[in-house]
């Protein structure tokens, strides 16, 4: 197993800037030096969450979680009073490679396997979330204390773009990433995923997450280390982070929750409304569906999960990756039921973590098709929680998934003004896709 991992590490050389080691040195002195070097700069996917617990000082035993969090209160004195008081870091300081050896470790494959003998994308979302947090801790590492005084949490999944969908459960996967932009208390993390094919790692997806730093009790903001740029390439990456921040601010300012639709969008909704009027009655109250169309209200699916301690993160809240996986799987089922064939994820974007989910909560997920075009299906998932003793529901997340179906899908039509806003919001997310999908995309669900 060790030899297989080392061979994979050697194949990955040269794809990214070299990172610093996170694992112990190989005990086999006869291994080639290149393998030993690469092994030190990589991490097994199963070790990521263990590494996070070590950094934070979290307990693996639920009975000890209160004591572990009490111990973190003692770290307040190690928090920086300003960003200027923190040593600057480089992009390579936070660079990490993580291997998911599905091919060389068959016993790991079961967790990631679908009934169609493909890789579960929901599990990949979980791994990306954990990796994003670990990368952020590498950037903010405080060498004067064993446990980090900072609490890192995922604030936003800005974008996940699939550049290839041929995910085989019998070929090893590699993740890599680093901090690409920093503000005062937040960081942007860029991650990539590759899969081994014909002896080389080929790109599968690009992901951009936004992480925020909180104090040791996760009650207030904390400063993060400034970023030094070493090359024109890094300056371009940082500039893109600034542009991403500006885009998010701009999109928030014109949100349909704050501003009315523009003229083109209003015309779109009015034209759709007119196309549903019954010409026999000439009445605004009589509505009929055009050919090959479905009412939006008939595309819903819902689910309920009880949030058990097993799904907690290192801060004893429900793991964000778990919520993303559940939302994705419900969205996939919605797109499958609507389109009548297996859908393929194209883009995940704009997942805002608005409120943490406490252990013991009831997690309600509601999924709905909100926009379609040709073979594309835009699905929105709304996540809310309620305690076992309180019936009040509070929104925690809204997810946006773009799928492509093997066959052309029906049009979806709103009935109400609220559904019309969901339609326009779905259309905006669909139009924000980075690039059209290639013909060879339809390989795997």
């Amino acid at each position: 197993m060790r030899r297989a991992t080392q061979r994979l590490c050697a194949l990955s050389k040269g794809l990214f800037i070299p990172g610093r080691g996170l694992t112990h040195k190989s005990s086999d002195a006869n291994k080639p030096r290149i393998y030993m070097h690469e092994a030190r700069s990589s991490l097994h996917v199963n070790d990521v969450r263990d590494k996070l617990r070590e950094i934070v000082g979290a307990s693996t035993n639920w009975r000890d979680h209160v004591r572990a969090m009490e111990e973190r209160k003692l770290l307040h004195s190690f928090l920086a009073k300003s960003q200027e008081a923190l040593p600057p870091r480089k992009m390579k300081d936070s660079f990490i490679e993580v291997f998911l050896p599905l091919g060389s470790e068959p016993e790991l494959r079961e967790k990631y396997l679908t009934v169609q003998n493909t890789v579960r994308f929901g599990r990949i979302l979980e791994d990306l979330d954990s990796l994003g947090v670990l990368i952020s801790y590498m950037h903010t590492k405080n060498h004067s204390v064993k446990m980090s005084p900072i609490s890192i949490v995922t604030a936003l999944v800005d974008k996940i773009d699939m550049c290839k969908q041929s995910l085989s459960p019998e070929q090893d996967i590699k993740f890599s990433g680093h901090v690409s932009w920093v503000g005062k208390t937040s960081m942007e993390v860029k991650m990539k995923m590759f899969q081994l094919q014909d002896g080389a790692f080929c790109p599968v997806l690009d992901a951009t997450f936004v992480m925020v730093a909180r104090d040791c009790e996760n009650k207030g903001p904390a400063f993060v280390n400034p970023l030094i740029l070493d090359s024109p390439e890094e300056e371009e990456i940082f500039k893109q982070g600034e542009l991403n921040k500006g885009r998010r601010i701009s999109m928030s300012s014109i949100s349909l929750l704050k501003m009315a639709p523009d003229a083109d969008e209003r015309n779109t909704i009015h034209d759709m409304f007119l196309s549903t009027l019954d010409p026999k009655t000439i009445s605004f109250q009589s509505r009929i569906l055009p050919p090959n169309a479905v009412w939006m209200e008939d595309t819903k699916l819902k689910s309920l999960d009880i949030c058990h301690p097993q799904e907690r993160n290192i801060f004893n809240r429900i793991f964000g990756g778990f919520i993303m996986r559940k939302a994705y799987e419900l969205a996939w089922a919605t797109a499958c039921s609507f389109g009548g064939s297996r859908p393929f994820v194209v883009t995940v974007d704009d997942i805002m973590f608005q409120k943490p989910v406490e252990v013991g909560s009831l997690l309600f997920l509601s999924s709905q098709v909100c926009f379609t075009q040709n073979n594309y299906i835009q699905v929105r998932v709304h996540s809310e929680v309620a305690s076992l003793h309180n019936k009040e529901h509070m929104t925690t997340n809204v997810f946006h998934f773009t799928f492509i179906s093997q066959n052309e899908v029906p049009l979806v039509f709103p009935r109400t003004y609220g559904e019309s806003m969901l339609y326009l919001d779905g259309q905006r997310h669909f139009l924000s896709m980075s690039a059209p999908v290639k013909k060879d995309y339809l390989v795997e669900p």
Side-chain angles (χ1 to χ4, degrees), residues 227-253:
L227 190 62
I228 295 177
L229 307 178
D230 269 349
S231 67
E233 290 78 12
E234 291 188 358
E235 290 175 2
E236 188 62 31
I237 292 173
F238 188 88
K239 180 181 177 181
Q240 184 59 53
E242 290 280 3
L243 293 174
N244 290 340
K245 178 184 176 182
R247 173 181 49 80
R248 289 191 292 267
I249 294 173
S250 175
M251 293 301 293
S252 176
S253 66

PDB file of all heavy atoms in Angstrom, residues 227-253:
ATOM      1  N   LEU A 227      -0.691  37.858   2.927  1.00  0.00           N
ATOM      2  CA  LEU A 227      -0.156  36.984   1.885  1.00  0.00           C
ATOM      3  C   LEU A 227       0.903  37.723   1.068  1.00  0.00           C
ATOM      4  O   LEU A 227       0.687  38.842   0.611  1.00  0.00           O
ATOM      5  CB  LEU A 227      -1.288  36.518   0.970  1.00  0.00           C
ATOM      6  CG  LEU A 227      -0.995  35.410  -0.039  1.00  0.00           C
ATOM      7  CD1 LEU A 227      -0.586  34.127   0.674  1.00  0.00           C
ATOM      8  CD2 LEU A 227      -2.210  35.166  -0.918  1.00  0.00           C
ATOM      9  N   ILE A 228       2.060  37.086   0.908  1.00  0.00           N
ATOM     10  CA  ILE A 228       3.133  37.611   0.055  1.00  0.00           C
ATOM     11  C   ILE A 228       3.042  36.926  -1.309  1.00  0.00           C
ATOM     12  O   ILE A 228       2.890  35.710  -1.391  1.00  0.00           O
ATOM     13  CB  ILE A 228       4.513  37.334   0.677  1.00  0.00           C
ATOM     14  CG1 ILE A 228       4.674  38.094   1.995  1.00  0.00           C
ATOM     15  CG2 ILE A 228       5.620  37.738  -0.274  1.00  0.00           C
ATOM     16  CD1 ILE A 228       5.991  37.795   2.685  1.00  0.00           C
ATOM     17  N   LEU A 229       3.157  37.723  -2.367  1.00  0.00           N
ATOM     18  CA  LEU A 229       3.084  37.181  -3.720  1.00  0.00           C
ATOM     19  C   LEU A 229       4.480  37.092  -4.314  1.00  0.00           C
ATOM     20  O   LEU A 229       5.223  38.071  -4.329  1.00  0.00           O
ATOM     21  CB  LEU A 229       2.185  38.073  -4.584  1.00  0.00           C
ATOM     22  CG  LEU A 229       0.788  38.332  -3.997  1.00  0.00           C
ATOM     23  CD1 LEU A 229      -0.010  39.267  -4.893  1.00  0.00           C
ATOM     24  CD2 LEU A 229       0.041  37.034  -3.764  1.00  0.00           C
ATOM     25  N   ASP A 230       4.834  35.901  -4.808  1.00  0.00           N
ATOM     26  CA  ASP A 230       6.209  35.631  -5.244  1.00  0.00           C
ATOM     27  C   ASP A 230       6.431  35.736  -6.747  1.00  0.00           C
ATOM     28  O   ASP A 230       7.575  35.748  -7.192  1.00  0.00           O
ATOM     29  CB  ASP A 230       6.614  34.219  -4.797  1.00  0.00           C
ATOM     30  CG  ASP A 230       7.273  34.233  -3.426  1.00  0.00           C
ATOM     31  OD1 ASP A 230       7.598  35.326  -2.940  1.00  0.00           O
ATOM     32  OD2 ASP A 230       7.438  33.142  -2.851  1.00  0.00           O
ATOM     33  N   SER A 231       5.366  35.787  -7.532  1.00  0.00           N
ATOM     34  CA  SER A 231       5.542  35.739  -8.979  1.00  0.00           C
ATOM     35  C   SER A 231       4.364  36.416  -9.666  1.00  0.00           C
ATOM     36  O   SER A 231       3.311  36.649  -9.045  1.00  0.00           O
ATOM     37  CB  SER A 231       5.644  34.283  -9.440  1.00  0.00           C
ATOM     38  OG  SER A 231       4.407  33.621  -9.235  1.00  0.00           O
ATOM     39  N   PRO A 232       4.511  36.733 -10.950  1.00  0.00           N
ATOM     40  CA  PRO A 232       3.378  37.289 -11.706  1.00  0.00           C
ATOM     41  C   PRO A 232       2.173  36.352 -11.725  1.00  0.00           C
ATOM     42  O   PRO A 232       1.030  36.803 -11.717  1.00  0.00           O
ATOM     43  CB  PRO A 232       3.953  37.474 -13.120  1.00  0.00           C
ATOM     44  CG  PRO A 232       5.421  37.605 -12.919  1.00  0.00           C
ATOM     45  CD  PRO A 232       5.749  36.730 -11.744  1.00  0.00           C
ATOM     46  N   GLU A 233       2.436  35.030 -11.717  1.00  0.00           N
ATOM     47  CA  GLU A 233       1.339  34.067 -11.705  1.00  0.00           C
ATOM     48  C   GLU A 233       0.550  34.180 -10.404  1.00  0.00           C
ATOM     49  O   GLU A 233      -0.689  34.149 -10.411  1.00  0.00           O
ATOM     50  CB  GLU A 233       1.880  32.646 -11.864  1.00  0.00           C
ATOM     51  CG  GLU A 233       2.431  32.322 -13.244  1.00  0.00           C
ATOM     52  CD  GLU A 233       3.825  32.889 -13.469  1.00  0.00           C
ATOM     53  OE1 GLU A 233       4.463  33.338 -12.489  1.00  0.00           O
ATOM     54  OE2 GLU A 233       4.272  32.904 -14.630  1.00  0.00           O
ATOM     55  N   GLU A 234       1.265  34.327  -9.285  1.00  0.00           N
ATOM     56  CA  GLU A 234       0.577  34.465  -8.006  1.00  0.00           C
ATOM     57  C   GLU A 234      -0.154  35.800  -7.916  1.00  0.00           C
ATOM     58  O   GLU A 234      -1.237  35.884  -7.326  1.00  0.00           O
ATOM     59  CB  GLU A 234       1.587  34.332  -6.858  1.00  0.00           C
ATOM     60  CG  GLU A 234       2.147  32.927  -6.719  1.00  0.00           C
ATOM     61  CD  GLU A 234       2.996  32.753  -5.484  1.00  0.00           C
ATOM     62  OE1 GLU A 234       3.206  33.734  -4.730  1.00  0.00           O
ATOM     63  OE2 GLU A 234       3.462  31.630  -5.264  1.00  0.00           O
ATOM     64  N   GLU A 235       0.413  36.834  -8.510  1.00  0.00           N
ATOM     65  CA  GLU A 235      -0.275  38.125  -8.538  1.00  0.00           C
ATOM     66  C   GLU A 235      -1.582  38.030  -9.312  1.00  0.00           C
ATOM     67  O   GLU A 235      -2.602  38.628  -8.926  1.00  0.00           O
ATOM     68  CB  GLU A 235       0.638  39.190  -9.164  1.00  0.00           C
ATOM     69  CG  GLU A 235       1.831  39.564  -8.293  1.00  0.00           C
ATOM     70  CD  GLU A 235       2.780  40.526  -8.994  1.00  0.00           C
ATOM     71  OE1 GLU A 235       2.475  40.923 -10.135  1.00  0.00           O
ATOM     72  OE2 GLU A 235       3.827  40.861  -8.401  1.00  0.00           O
ATOM     73  N   GLU A 236      -1.574  37.247 -10.380  1.00  0.00           N
ATOM     74  CA  GLU A 236      -2.788  37.053 -11.178  1.00  0.00           C
ATOM     75  C   GLU A 236      -3.833  36.262 -10.392  1.00  0.00           C
ATOM     76  O   GLU A 236      -5.025  36.560 -10.447  1.00  0.00           O
ATOM     77  CB  GLU A 236      -2.445  36.323 -12.477  1.00  0.00           C
ATOM     78  CG  GLU A 236      -3.591  36.250 -13.467  1.00  0.00           C
ATOM     79  CD  GLU A 236      -4.067  37.610 -13.946  1.00  0.00           C
ATOM     80  OE1 GLU A 236      -3.233  38.548 -14.015  1.00  0.00           O
ATOM     81  OE2 GLU A 236      -5.274  37.737 -14.236  1.00  0.00           O
ATOM     82  N   ILE A 237      -3.381  35.261  -9.657  1.00  0.00           N
ATOM     83  CA  ILE A 237      -4.298  34.471  -8.823  1.00  0.00           C
ATOM     84  C   ILE A 237      -4.927  35.350  -7.752  1.00  0.00           C
ATOM     85  O   ILE A 237      -6.137  35.298  -7.504  1.00  0.00           O
ATOM     86  CB  ILE A 237      -3.541  33.287  -8.180  1.00  0.00           C
ATOM     87  CG1 ILE A 237      -3.118  32.284  -9.254  1.00  0.00           C
ATOM     88  CG2 ILE A 237      -4.406  32.604  -7.122  1.00  0.00           C
ATOM     89  CD1 ILE A 237      -2.220  31.178  -8.739  1.00  0.00           C
ATOM     90  N   PHE A 238      -4.093  36.177  -7.112  1.00  0.00           N
ATOM     91  CA  PHE A 238      -4.597  37.072  -6.066  1.00  0.00           C
ATOM     92  C   PHE A 238      -5.585  38.087  -6.652  1.00  0.00           C
ATOM     93  O   PHE A 238      -6.621  38.390  -6.057  1.00  0.00           O
ATOM     94  CB  PHE A 238      -3.426  37.799  -5.392  1.00  0.00           C
ATOM     95  CG  PHE A 238      -3.823  38.590  -4.176  1.00  0.00           C
ATOM     96  CD1 PHE A 238      -3.859  37.989  -2.929  1.00  0.00           C
ATOM     97  CD2 PHE A 238      -4.167  39.926  -4.277  1.00  0.00           C
ATOM     98  CE1 PHE A 238      -4.225  38.714  -1.800  1.00  0.00           C
ATOM     99  CE2 PHE A 238      -4.534  40.658  -3.166  1.00  0.00           C
ATOM    100  CZ  PHE A 238      -4.562  40.050  -1.916  1.00  0.00           C
ATOM    101  N   LYS A 239      -5.258  38.598  -7.838  1.00  0.00           N
ATOM    102  CA  LYS A 239      -6.144  39.556  -8.504  1.00  0.00           C
ATOM    103  C   LYS A 239      -7.504  38.932  -8.792  1.00  0.00           C
ATOM    104  O   LYS A 239      -8.545  39.574  -8.640  1.00  0.00           O
ATOM    105  CB  LYS A 239      -5.495  40.036  -9.799  1.00  0.00           C
ATOM    106  CG  LYS A 239      -6.337  41.046 -10.577  1.00  0.00           C
ATOM    107  CD  LYS A 239      -5.645  41.452 -11.869  1.00  0.00           C
ATOM    108  CE  LYS A 239      -6.507  42.405 -12.691  1.00  0.00           C
ATOM    109  NZ  LYS A 239      -5.834  42.779 -13.968  1.00  0.00           N
ATOM    110  N   GLN A 240      -7.495  37.669  -9.186  1.00  0.00           N
ATOM    111  CA  GLN A 240      -8.753  36.969  -9.442  1.00  0.00           C
ATOM    112  C   GLN A 240      -9.573  36.847  -8.164  1.00  0.00           C
ATOM    113  O   GLN A 240     -10.806  36.938  -8.177  1.00  0.00           O
ATOM    114  CB  GLN A 240      -8.482  35.589 -10.026  1.00  0.00           C
ATOM    115  CG  GLN A 240      -9.738  34.822 -10.427  1.00  0.00           C
ATOM    116  CD  GLN A 240     -10.564  35.558 -11.466  1.00  0.00           C
ATOM    117  OE1 GLN A 240     -10.046  35.953 -12.506  1.00  0.00           O
ATOM    118  NE2 GLN A 240     -11.850  35.751 -11.200  1.00  0.00           N
ATOM    119  N   GLY A 241      -8.881  36.665  -7.034  1.00  0.00           N
ATOM    120  CA  GLY A 241      -9.575  36.630  -5.744  1.00  0.00           C
ATOM    121  C   GLY A 241     -10.258  37.946  -5.433  1.00  0.00           C
ATOM    122  O   GLY A 241     -11.387  37.973  -4.921  1.00  0.00           O
ATOM    123  N   GLU A 242      -9.578  39.047  -5.744  1.00  0.00           N
ATOM    124  CA  GLU A 242     -10.188  40.368  -5.556  1.00  0.00           C
ATOM    125  C   GLU A 242     -11.415  40.533  -6.450  1.00  0.00           C
ATOM    126  O   GLU A 242     -12.450  41.075  -6.033  1.00  0.00           O
ATOM    127  CB  GLU A 242      -9.160  41.465  -5.870  1.00  0.00           C
ATOM    128  CG  GLU A 242      -8.025  41.584  -4.867  1.00  0.00           C
ATOM    129  CD  GLU A 242      -8.455  42.354  -3.613  1.00  0.00           C
ATOM    130  OE1 GLU A 242      -9.638  42.729  -3.513  1.00  0.00           O
ATOM    131  OE2 GLU A 242      -7.601  42.568  -2.748  1.00  0.00           O
ATOM    132  N   LEU A 243     -11.295  40.069  -7.699  1.00  0.00           N
ATOM    133  CA  LEU A 243     -12.424  40.161  -8.624  1.00  0.00           C
ATOM    134  C   LEU A 243     -13.596  39.305  -8.141  1.00  0.00           C
ATOM    135  O   LEU A 243     -14.758  39.712  -8.257  1.00  0.00           O
ATOM    136  CB  LEU A 243     -11.991  39.715 -10.025  1.00  0.00           C
ATOM    137  CG  LEU A 243     -10.984  40.619 -10.739  1.00  0.00           C
ATOM    138  CD1 LEU A 243     -10.540  39.987 -12.058  1.00  0.00           C
ATOM    139  CD2 LEU A 243     -11.582  42.003 -10.996  1.00  0.00           C
ATOM    140  N   ASN A 244     -13.287  38.139  -7.592  1.00  0.00           N
ATOM    141  CA  ASN A 244     -14.346  37.275  -7.065  1.00  0.00           C
ATOM    142  C   ASN A 244     -15.087  37.956  -5.915  1.00  0.00           C
ATOM    143  O   ASN A 244     -16.320  37.882  -5.826  1.00  0.00           O
ATOM    144  CB  ASN A 244     -13.761  35.949  -6.588  1.00  0.00           C
ATOM    145  CG  ASN A 244     -13.267  35.081  -7.734  1.00  0.00           C
ATOM    146  OD1 ASN A 244     -13.656  35.269  -8.880  1.00  0.00           O
ATOM    147  ND2 ASN A 244     -12.396  34.141  -7.424  1.00  0.00           N
ATOM    148  N   LYS A 245     -14.325  38.613  -5.049  1.00  0.00           N
ATOM    149  CA  LYS A 245     -14.948  39.328  -3.939  1.00  0.00           C
ATOM    150  C   LYS A 245     -15.853  40.437  -4.463  1.00  0.00           C
ATOM    151  O   LYS A 245     -16.996  40.606  -4.001  1.00  0.00           O
ATOM    152  CB  LYS A 245     -13.875  39.921  -3.024  1.00  0.00           C
ATOM    153  CG  LYS A 245     -14.437  40.735  -1.867  1.00  0.00           C
ATOM    154  CD  LYS A 245     -13.326  41.385  -1.057  1.00  0.00           C
ATOM    155  CE  LYS A 245     -13.911  42.266   0.045  1.00  0.00           C
ATOM    156  NZ  LYS A 245     -12.840  42.949   0.822  1.00  0.00           N
ATOM    157  N   GLY A 246     -15.363  41.209  -5.453  1.00  0.00           N
ATOM    158  CA  GLY A 246     -16.166  42.276  -6.032  1.00  0.00           C
ATOM    159  C   GLY A 246     -17.420  41.756  -6.699  1.00  0.00           C
ATOM    160  O   GLY A 246     -18.498  42.358  -6.603  1.00  0.00           O
ATOM    161  N   ARG A 247     -17.293  40.604  -7.379  1.00  0.00           N
ATOM    162  CA  ARG A 247     -18.457  40.005  -8.033  1.00  0.00           C
ATOM    163  C   ARG A 247     -19.507  39.595  -7.014  1.00  0.00           C
ATOM    164  O   ARG A 247     -20.715  39.802  -7.224  1.00  0.00           O
ATOM    165  CB  ARG A 247     -18.017  38.795  -8.858  1.00  0.00           C
ATOM    166  CG  ARG A 247     -19.167  37.999  -9.450  1.00  0.00           C
ATOM    167  CD  ARG A 247     -18.661  36.798 -10.231  1.00  0.00           C
ATOM    168  NE  ARG A 247     -17.700  36.009  -9.494  1.00  0.00           N
ATOM    169  CZ  ARG A 247     -18.039  35.108  -8.559  1.00  0.00           C
ATOM    170  NH1 ARG A 247     -19.314  34.936  -8.250  1.00  0.00           N
ATOM    171  NH2 ARG A 247     -17.100  34.412  -7.947  1.00  0.00           N
ATOM    172  N   ARG A 248     -19.068  39.037  -5.900  1.00  0.00           N
ATOM    173  CA  ARG A 248     -20.022  38.607  -4.873  1.00  0.00           C
ATOM    174  C   ARG A 248     -20.754  39.806  -4.276  1.00  0.00           C
ATOM    175  O   ARG A 248     -21.964  39.748  -4.026  1.00  0.00           O
ATOM    176  CB  ARG A 248     -19.294  37.821  -3.770  1.00  0.00           C
ATOM    177  CG  ARG A 248     -18.815  36.453  -4.214  1.00  0.00           C
ATOM    178  CD  ARG A 248     -18.342  35.628  -3.034  1.00  0.00           C
ATOM    179  NE  ARG A 248     -17.118  36.152  -2.443  1.00  0.00           N
ATOM    180  CZ  ARG A 248     -15.897  35.757  -2.769  1.00  0.00           C
ATOM    181  NH1 ARG A 248     -15.744  34.834  -3.722  1.00  0.00           N
ATOM    182  NH2 ARG A 248     -14.835  36.258  -2.178  1.00  0.00           N
ATOM    183  N   ILE A 249     -20.029  40.894  -4.066  1.00  0.00           N
ATOM    184  CA  ILE A 249     -20.664  42.099  -3.527  1.00  0.00           C
ATOM    185  C   ILE A 249     -21.673  42.649  -4.522  1.00  0.00           C
ATOM    186  O   ILE A 249     -22.789  43.047  -4.169  1.00  0.00           O
ATOM    187  CB  ILE A 249     -19.600  43.161  -3.181  1.00  0.00           C
ATOM    188  CG1 ILE A 249     -18.717  42.665  -2.026  1.00  0.00           C
ATOM    189  CG2 ILE A 249     -20.254  44.489  -2.827  1.00  0.00           C
ATOM    190  CD1 ILE A 249     -17.544  43.573  -1.725  1.00  0.00           C
ATOM    191  N   SER A 250     -21.293  42.657  -5.806  1.00  0.00           N
ATOM    192  CA  SER A 250     -22.177  43.164  -6.844  1.00  0.00           C
ATOM    193  C   SER A 250     -23.437  42.319  -6.965  1.00  0.00           C
ATOM    194  O   SER A 250     -24.555  42.846  -7.054  1.00  0.00           O
ATOM    195  CB  SER A 250     -21.434  43.202  -8.185  1.00  0.00           C
ATOM    196  OG  SER A 250     -22.291  43.586  -9.230  1.00  0.00           O
ATOM    197  N   MET A 251     -23.255  40.987  -6.964  1.00  0.00           N
ATOM    198  CA  MET A 251     -24.408  40.098  -7.079  1.00  0.00           C
ATOM    199  C   MET A 251     -25.329  40.220  -5.881  1.00  0.00           C
ATOM    200  O   MET A 251     -26.556  40.151  -6.011  1.00  0.00           O
ATOM    201  CB  MET A 251     -23.928  38.651  -7.221  1.00  0.00           C
ATOM    202  CG  MET A 251     -23.198  38.364  -8.527  1.00  0.00           C
ATOM    203  SD  MET A 251     -24.214  38.682  -9.994  1.00  0.00           S
ATOM    204  CE  MET A 251     -25.455  37.409  -9.806  1.00  0.00           C
ATOM    205  N   SER A 252     -24.756  40.440  -4.706  1.00  0.00           N
ATOM    206  CA  SER A 252     -25.583  40.615  -3.503  1.00  0.00           C
ATOM    207  C   SER A 252     -26.416  41.882  -3.587  1.00  0.00           C
ATOM    208  O   SER A 252     -27.573  41.916  -3.163  1.00  0.00           O
ATOM    209  CB  SER A 252     -24.682  40.648  -2.266  1.00  0.00           C
ATOM    210  OG  SER A 252     -25.446  40.912  -1.104  1.00  0.00           O
ATOM    211  N   SER A 253     -25.840  42.943  -4.176  1.00  0.00           N
ATOM    212  CA  SER A 253     -26.551  44.226  -4.246  1.00  0.00           C
ATOM    213  C   SER A 253     -27.737  44.182  -5.194  1.00  0.00           C
ATOM    214  O   SER A 253     -28.681  44.965  -5.044  1.00  0.00           O
ATOM    215  CB  SER A 253     -25.580  45.338  -4.667  1.00  0.00           C
ATOM    216  OG  SER A 253     -25.126  45.131  -5.997  1.00  0.00           O
TER     217      SER A 253
END
